[in-house]
Amino acid sequence: MGIWMTGGILANANNTLETAHLFIDNGRIARIVKGDTAPDTTGHEVIDASGKLVSAGLIDMHVHLREPGFEHKETIATGTASAARGGFTTIACMPNTRPVIDTADTVRYVLDKAEAAGRSRVLPYGCITKNELGRELTDFAALKKAGVIGYTDDGVGVQSAQMMKDAMALAKSIGLPIIAHCEDNTLVEGAPVSEGEFAKKHGLKGIPNESEAIHVGRDILLAEATGVHYHVCHVSTEMSVRLIRHGKQIGVNVTSEVCPHHLLLSDEDIPGLDANWKMNPPLRTPRDVQAVIEGLEDGTIDMIVTDHAPHSAEEKAKGMQLAPFGIVGFETAFPLLYTKFVKTGRWTLRFLLDKMTVKPAEVFGLPWGTVEEGAEADLTVIDLDTEKEVDPAKFLSKSHNTPFIGWKLQGWPVLTMVAGKVVWAD
Ligand code: DOR
Ligand code: ZN
Ligand code: ZN
């Protein structure tokens, strides 16, 4: 017995919408029947997707699942449930857990937990340096063998240029990318928010834009020298966009990502000393917001990621200065971007989907991201019409730290399928 997913709407590459019926067999899309006429579904399971968007499963290449070590914030079970509810069929998790993911054993631990959870696919990154301390490289070959898809010290920047260059040379020889959290610590020193109006008003130390861009510039030069695939995390400044644009122009193998919050919010939107608005990189100026939007639109920035970063209510209650950086992202990402960029007419639906499916798959060489016959049936069904308010109390994530509380949005995922298996349904 197979599954017929009937009456859904496909967003085609040429920006047209088209009704289609998908036959799913053995975990794959076996047949796509286009047009309004329903096929004979006798003898098969039927999922009625009438009037709903059917997309390739969303892919998020930057998330924090917190396990092992920080299970009070999130577990692999709750994180992947939250991801599945957000429409994500594949997520790539950061290694800043406790212990960090810097050995083959911890990689296997994450993969085993993810498999047991049975929701979204989980692709782990391994650390660049042991314990993310920036002193000694990890065993890249052993980590690759255990299943990592790239190397990163996300959460902190690699401070030493020589260390980064060695890491890139090694990653290049092994054939995996370096994924960089760009931050020069000497320019930051305990600042909780971006340099700008908000910091001034509240007497807080500011994080300058150069603290990100200096690493971006340095690393593009090192990527040029080593030839590695270098991927910039959570781009948030106009300076970084400019540097990446130039790097691409001169043929450096550099790619990058941006988060929904950096596309939608500036420091001027922060309502007060509420740490649900604290993340790293911080919310920058409206000019930076425009620059990252334009960077995404002209291809300088390749994809959208959430940087899903759960923290408990107690931790976030410590206030703007002391609370940890980060906000959750899975369960609001698509509705936010659909409502604020597609419904408003700035982007086509296809543009948004490309940045959350086709592009991440292409950049990281993943076999998912498109709806076509023969492809694995990783699918997300989305209700584009019903408006709902963001209510963190309803999140499947263990944590509720979001600045988007109460936003009225459309574009809510209603069913998520991985390899032909429903892993979440409303
Ligand atoms: O906001 C952030 N949260 N930025 C990071 O770089 C780390 C992450 C976390 O682990 O909480
Ligand atoms: Zn980061
Ligand atoms: Zn991160």
Side-chain angles (χ1 to χ4, degrees), residues 10-32:
L10 299 184
N12 291 325
N14 62 359
N15 276 318
T16 56
L17 299 176
E18 187 171 28
T19 302
H21 314 275
L22 274 50
F23 184 61
I24 295 147
D25 195 28
N26 267 320
R28 294 196 174 262
I29 302 170
R31 257 182 83 200
I32 300 177

Side-chain angles (χ1 to χ4, degrees), residues 166-180:
D166 291 346
M168 286 184 178
L170 188 54
K172 168 72 181 169
S173 74
I174 277 179
L176 286 181
I178 290 285
I179 291 87

